Amino acid sequence: MFLKELSLQGFKTFARKTTLRFLDPQNGTHAITAVVGPNGSGKSNVADAIRWVLGEQSMKLLRGKAATDVIFSGSDGKARAGFAEVELTFADVSGIEGIDFSEARISRRLYRDGESQYAINGKTVRLADVHMFLAQANVGQKSYSVVGQGQVDHVLSASPEERKSFFDDATGVKPLQLKRHQAALKLRRTRENLEQAERVVQEISPRLTTLRRLVKHLGQRDAVETELNNAQIAYFGTLWNDLQKQLRETERVHDLCEATADKQAQALQTERDRMAHMEQAPIETDDTDSEEISTIQVRYDALQEKRTEIRERLFEAQKRFEIAKVKSANTWTPLPLSMIIERIGALSSALKLLKEQSAHGTLNARAMDHILEQSEELLRRLQKPAPESQKPSAELVTSIRALQTQESAVVTELATIKQALHDHAEKSKNERKAFFALQNSLLSLQDQLRVEESKRNEARVNLARVETRLEDLEHDMIETLGDHVGAAKTYKGRANTDDLHVRIQQLRHKLDMIGGIDEETVAEYEEAKKRHDYLEEQIADLVSALRETEKLVDELEEQIKKQSSQAFAQIQKQFEHYFKILFGGGTCSLKEICAKDVEMEANEEADTENLESRIENPNRVIGIEIQATPPGKRLKSINLLSGGERAMTSIALISAIMATNPSPFVVLDEVDAALDEANTHRFARIVEELAQTTQFIIITHNQATMRAASVLYGISIQDNGVSQVLSLKFEEAEPVEA
Ligand code: ATP
Ligand code: MG
């Protein structure tokens, strides 16, 4: 890659559009361009233009105050420009990222209102894109690509830290550092995003856990509900079947009791009818009966009296007959003496009694008759009867016979009447017996009926109870099972209802614990889960991005370290080489200063640059120290060098850097100003050597330097303060001069 063209318009003294063309390299060697001209002609403005188009922001380096100071400010004969524009054309840029063409035109334009614009190949870009392009093209910015007038020893007067930055430019690690910077930025963004995502996840996690538990419970609900429903169907089905069976049995018993009680009632009725009939009928006959009976009784009594009378008469008659018979038998026997004495004694007592009675006037005729009879009897027994008087008379016999007939007639009638009475008594006794029997039977029937009725009532109560229970059960079933009542009523199995009851209570409790299905909860859970999953995924992505970026940073860091230490060694070597050429001897060295060497400052700096803190470590190089001792001298501090020595040391270092990490081009504005003639020649030799790899644009007043150039551009300034460029090829010019 090399510079092909520089075009300026409205930039400082270049009011008109002015183009400087540079030669293509020949046989691998770059042409050296020298810009010459009188003081104040605008040579340094060319260097400024190149610095400016490459994105320089420092107005100090551009020798101005305000940004718009670079715009042509006008003069007596020329109006000021509205804008400044510089365009730099690079040729042979293949291999640079984002550049599809073989040429790259970098341009910068600034208007008076401050509006600024960068473009690459006419396409507006950001400054960062320009930086990236330059870094890839290995064009350093802070460094030596443009060494301003009087700034050649800047590398010596700069602080070790500034020098380090300069070296980074030089060692070609800038693109890597840029990449590392971007990676670090990405790291920070990723970390921030990760923290934020983790924070959000942390915020929603507890709610999500709660929701997950809820939804899990809700998921169980279906299973519990199904089991509960089945358990309830089995439970109620079994109860229903049992009760149905009980109902049938109770109905059967009830019907039986009803029939029995009816039959019993009928039987009782029949007996009652009989009783009523019996109670109505017998009374009238009784009256006549008793009348008849009393007549018969009267007759009976009369007959008995008559029989007694007949018997008495018969007895009298028979007695007389007997006596007659005895008399007729003639066998008289006197009474024994003892008896006679006894009977006379009795008579005597009776007479005494009689005498007493007569004395009292209460004389009893019958008693006297009795005494008389007794005494006559005794007399008869003591006298011997006359034989004729002793024979029974026929009349007596007849009388006895008549009496006997009468008696037998009376006895016969009496027997008949007695029989009749007996029959009558017997009859009424039987009737009474039948009545009582009926009465008993009625009572017993009533008792039985009462028993049967109580049985029937019990059966009715039982039936009603079972029916009520069935109704209650059905009501419960409808309430509990709803549409599943049919399933329970047709349940075929037989379950243990006690166990089921316990299980049903458990399941209901479980359902209560689970709670109702809340669609909003499910929706909220799904929403939260979606968000959570998304965040988790994002976190995973971020973490892996973080790892990758960290890895990238580490790799870059490693690469930077490797590359810079290699380059540093190389620069050190070349520094010595060029130092010796320029000074014709002497010693010089470069020394890296590590973070641990400069603790305080480094740490403070690290704080402000916390992006880089991750890759901060005590061994990190933070500065470069320079030592230079010209031949024959002992001093080591570069501060003690003369102006020319400073310039040569600086040139040696810049040359060493260029040799190590060639920049595509370099602009040197009067770096040879302080050199004596001999040293100018040495300088020219070095430039020629380095032109192998670097394109030189050298602003100079030195002849020797001019002679090293292939092309000369003469800058002149006109009266109106506008620079003009005269192009002059050396090969062509030389013959003119010669
Ligand atoms: P020397 O050989 O002395 O270093 P030079 O050729 O390098 O001189 P420059 O520094 O390039 O000269 O030019 C400086 C001139 O440019 C000054 O005269 C200054 O007035 C002029 N100049 C700087 N900025 C502007 C501007 N914006 N508009 C017009 N002229 C400007
Ligand atoms: Mg100048």
Side-chain angles (χ1 to χ4, degrees):
M1 191 177 94
F2 57 93
L3 285 185
K4 193 178 174 188
E5 216 172 83
L6 172 69
S7 186
L8 311 92
Q9 185 177 0
F11 188 87
K12 292 200 172 178
T13 47
F14 293 89
R16 278 195 301 269
K17 182 162 180 177
T18 311
T19 303
L20 280 81
R21 290 195 178 77
F22 308 102
L23 286 180
D24 292 359
Q26 299 258 317
N27 305 323
T29 305
H30 285 282
I32 298 167
T33 304
V35 178
V36 301
N39 291 130
S41 60
K43 300 184 295 296
S44 294
N45 290 345
V46 172
D48 289 343
I50 292 173
R51 198 192 283 277
W52 188 71
V53 76
L54 295 181
E56 181 59 67
Q57 301 296 305
S58 159
M59 282 320 292
K60 195 180 154 208
L61 283 172
L62 291 167
R63 300 181 298 148
K65 274 180 184 153
T68 49
D69 285 350
V70 298
I71 303 171
F72 176 65
S73 58
S75 63
D76 292 347
K78 181 82 180 156
R80 65 179 196 163
F83 67 90
E85 185 177 47
V86 176
E87 186 178 79
L88 200 55
T89 306
F90 293 89
D92 193 16
V93 291
S94 55
I96 291 180
E97 224 174 281
I99 305 294
D100 302 329
F101 309 95
S102 59
E103 285 187 359
R105 285 178 288 112
I106 311 287
S107 69
R108 182 176 181 180
R109 185 189 281 232
L110 179 76
Y111 292 91
R112 285 216 170 269
D113 61 5
E115 193 198 325
S116 166
Q117 215 173 55
Y118 293 92
I120 294 178
N121 285 342
K123 203 174 135 207
T124 304
V125 294
R126 296 165 306 158
L127 175 59
D129 298 318
V130 175
H131 283 164
M132 189 46 90
F133 171 82
L134 294 174
Q136 284 183 321
N138 207 18
V139 178
Q141 288 149 47
K142 285 189 180 176
S143 57
Y144 51 87
S145 282
V146 179
V147 179
Q149 190 171 1
Q151 286 177 341
V152 66
D153 60 352
H154 177 72
V155 70
L156 302 188
S157 53
S159 70
E161 288 77 30
E162 285 172 319
R163 221 175 277 138
K164 166 76 171 73
S165 168
F166 180 87
F167 264 66
D168 285 341
D169 246 357
T171 51
V173 296
K174 265 276 137 99
L176 296 177
Q177 284 178 331
L178 260 175
K179 274 189 192 166
R180 187 185 65 184
H181 177 71
Q182 277 167 349
L185 278 177
K186 194 181 162 194
L187 212 55
R188 183 165 70 176
R189 273 199 310 274
T190 310
R191 278 215 192 93
E192 280 169 4
N193 290 341
L194 187 61
E195 272 168 26
Q196 201 184 348
E198 280 172 345
R199 211 165 33 241
V200 176
V201 165
Q202 241 170 22
E203 273 165 21
I204 66 172
S205 272
R207 179 69 186 143
L208 186 66
T209 309
T210 311
L211 287 171
R212 186 179 287 127
R213 214 173 20 241
L214 275 176
V215 169
K216 198 178 152 204
H217 275 167
L218 294 184
Q220 287 175 344
R221 195 182 168 86
D222 275 355
V224 175
E225 264 178 349
T226 307
E227 195 191 338
L228 176 62
N229 194 42
N230 289 341
Q232 285 180 156
I233 286 173
Y235 175 75
F236 282 115
T238 304
L239 288 183
W240 179 260
N241 290 343
D242 285 358
L243 216 50
Q244 286 285 346
K245 207 169 131 193
Q246 201 180 335
L247 178 69
R248 283 192 295 276
E249 178 58 21
T250 314
E251 272 174 349
R252 195 187 63 75
V253 172
H254 171 262
D255 291 352
L256 206 70
C257 286
E258 286 281 358
T260 312
D262 281 354
K263 227 168 93 187
Q264 205 69 36
Q266 238 166 20
L268 181 66
Q269 195 53 48
T270 310
E271 290 299 81
R272 274 194 180 134
D273 289 350
R274 260 181 66 205
M275 179 70 124
H277 185 70
M278 197 181 273
E279 277 170 350
Q280 261 172 12
I283 310 301
E284 52 186 301
T285 52
D286 231 5
D287 282 355
T288 50
D289 245 23
S290 58
E291 227 170 89
E292 192 183 56
I293 288 298
S294 55
T295 314
I296 290 173
Q297 195 67 49
V298 169
R299 173 81 182 138
Y300 186 76
D301 293 345
L303 279 174
Q304 270 190 324
E305 235 168 83
K306 193 178 176 185
R307 188 188 59 183
T308 311
E309 193 201 320
I310 292 170
R311 278 192 180 160
E312 276 175 6
R313 282 166 64 195
L314 190 59
F315 177 69
E316 270 315 306
Q318 281 174 334
K319 201 167 78 181
R320 272 188 284 149
F321 180 80
E322 281 300 315
I323 291 165
K325 252 179 53 180
V326 171
K327 274 180 184 169
S328 65
N330 274 333
T331 41
W332 177 75
T333 334
L335 280 175
L337 190 60
S338 60
M339 269 183 81
I340 297 166
I341 296 165
E342 185 191 318
R343 286 194 188 184
I344 291 168
L347 279 171
S348 171
S349 300
L351 280 173
K352 274 179 193 165
L353 194 64
L354 213 57
K355 190 183 164 195
E356 271 173 36
Q357 282 174 344
S358 76
H360 288 94
T362 58
L363 194 67
N364 190 332
R366 270 188 73 179
M368 281 185 350
D369 282 345
H370 186 72
I371 296 168
L372 202 59
E373 262 177 40
Q374 293 285 316
S375 40
E376 280 175 356
E377 172 68 26
L378 190 55
L379 193 62
R380 257 190 319 266
R381 292 287 308 250
L382 294 176
Q383 284 176 325
K384 202 157 163 207
E388 62 279 14
S389 63
Q390 288 174 331
K391 203 177 160 193
S393 68
E395 193 190 357
L396 185 62
V397 174
T398 310
S399 159
I400 286 172
R401 277 189 190 143
L403 281 172
Q404 280 176 332
T405 308
Q406 272 179 22
E407 188 199 13
S408 92
V410 168
V411 166
T412 307
E413 200 180 340
L414 270 173
T416 309
I417 287 170
K418 199 177 175 186
Q419 187 59 45
L421 280 173
H422 176 78
D423 286 353
H424 183 267
E426 199 63 17
K427 186 186 159 204
S428 61
K429 191 179 143 199
N430 281 342
E431 277 175 355
R432 209 163 288 129
K433 219 167 141 189
F435 180 76
F436 285 129
L438 185 56
Q439 219 167 25
N440 280 340
S441 152
L442 256 174
L443 284 174
S444 131
L445 276 175
Q446 266 171 345
D447 282 348
Q448 280 178 40
L449 182 60
R450 256 196 299 283
V451 169
E452 291 305 329
E453 271 177 343
S454 96
K455 276 190 193 167
R456 185 187 61 187
N457 287 340
E458 198 184 328
R460 279 178 182 171
V461 169
N462 277 344
L463 186 60
R465 197 180 290 143
V466 173
E467 279 170 349
T468 309
R469 276 168 62 192
L470 209 57
E471 261 174 44
D472 288 351
L473 181 64
E474 194 170 23
H475 182 260
D476 279 0
M477 284 163 80
I478 290 167
E479 207 159 70
T480 312
L481 293 171
D483 293 344
H484 299 289
V485 168
K489 284 186 180 174
T490 54
Y491 181 67
K492 288 280 177 281
R494 173 109 187 66
N496 182 335
T497 48
D498 288 346
D499 291 355
L500 272 181
H501 188 259
V502 173
R503 184 67 189 142
I504 286 168
Q505 296 311 316
Q506 284 172 344
L507 291 170
R508 282 184 184 157
H509 178 68
K510 211 166 167 182
L511 271 190
D512 279 351
M513 296 301 288
I514 291 169
I517 293 212
D518 179 7
E519 293 303 326
E520 268 179 37
T521 307
V522 177
E524 194 194 341
Y525 167 72
E526 267 156 21
E527 181 66 26
K529 177 151 173 25
K530 220 166 99 186
R531 183 125 185 268
H532 186 267
D533 289 353
Y534 171 73
L535 285 169
E536 287 283 295
E537 210 175 292
Q538 223 184 22
I539 285 172
D541 287 352
L542 286 170
V543 166
S544 85
L546 204 65
R547 296 276 142 71
E548 264 173 48
T549 314
E550 280 171 355
K551 208 176 131 206
L552 179 67
V553 168
D554 288 347
E555 280 169 6
L556 285 169
E557 180 68 8
E558 187 57 34
Q559 210 180 331
I560 287 167
K561 209 174 131 194
K562 202 175 140 197
Q563 198 166 319
S564 60
S565 69
Q566 267 180 5
F568 184 79
Q570 187 75 16
I571 289 170
Q572 173 124 13
K573 214 177 116 196
Q574 294 293 337
F575 180 38
E576 281 172 41
H577 168 69
Y578 289 113
F579 189 85
K580 282 199 165 86
I581 290 178
L582 282 168
F583 283 94
T587 56
C588 66
S589 72
L590 297 173
K591 202 178 142 212
E592 284 181 328
I593 300 170
C594 293
K596 61 184 176 193
D597 301 329
V598 193
E599 286 159 43
M600 299 274 285
E601 298 95 311
N603 283 343
E604 270 162 28
E605 224 168 289
D607 279 347
T608 53
E609 288 244 325
N610 82 46
L611 284 185
E612 312 261 339
S613 64
R614 204 200 142 265
I615 48 177
E616 185 67 68
N617 69 60
N619 290 318
R620 190 172 167 226
V621 177
I622 57 157
I624 306 286
E625 201 74 72
I626 300 173
Q627 282 183 351
T629 311
K633 303 202 169 153
R634 281 204 195 143
L635 34 101
K636 283 203 171 156
S637 169
I638 50 172
N639 294 328
L640 299 171
L641 294 170
S642 76
E645 284 171 341
R646 280 176 74 85
M648 283 197 292
T649 307
S650 301
I651 289 168
L653 189 54
I654 290 167
S655 300
I657 289 167
M658 280 196 287
T660 306
N661 183 29
S663 178
F665 67 92
V666 66
V667 180
L668 304 174
D669 191 352
E670 296 195 40
V671 294
D672 52 0
L675 308 188
D676 61 24
E677 195 167 350
N679 283 336
T680 310
H681 284 290
R682 286 173 183 159
F683 171 64
R685 247 175 52 220
I686 292 173
V687 169
E688 275 169 343
E689 195 182 305
L690 291 171
Q692 302 286 323
T693 49
T694 301
Q695 185 178 8
F696 278 89
I697 295 154
I698 305 174
I699 298 163
T700 186
H701 291 292
N702 265 317
Q703 293 291 324
T705 312
M706 280 184 221
R707 265 198 288 278
S710 311
V711 179
L712 275 181
Y713 273 112
I715 312 276
S716 63
I717 189 128
Q718 296 172 322
D719 293 342
N720 57 7
V722 175
S723 292
Q724 214 178 12
V725 176
L726 283 162
S727 145
L728 183 65
K729 271 193 187 163
F730 197 70
E731 295 92 69
E732 287 169 16
E734 204 169 31
V736 177
E737 253 189 19

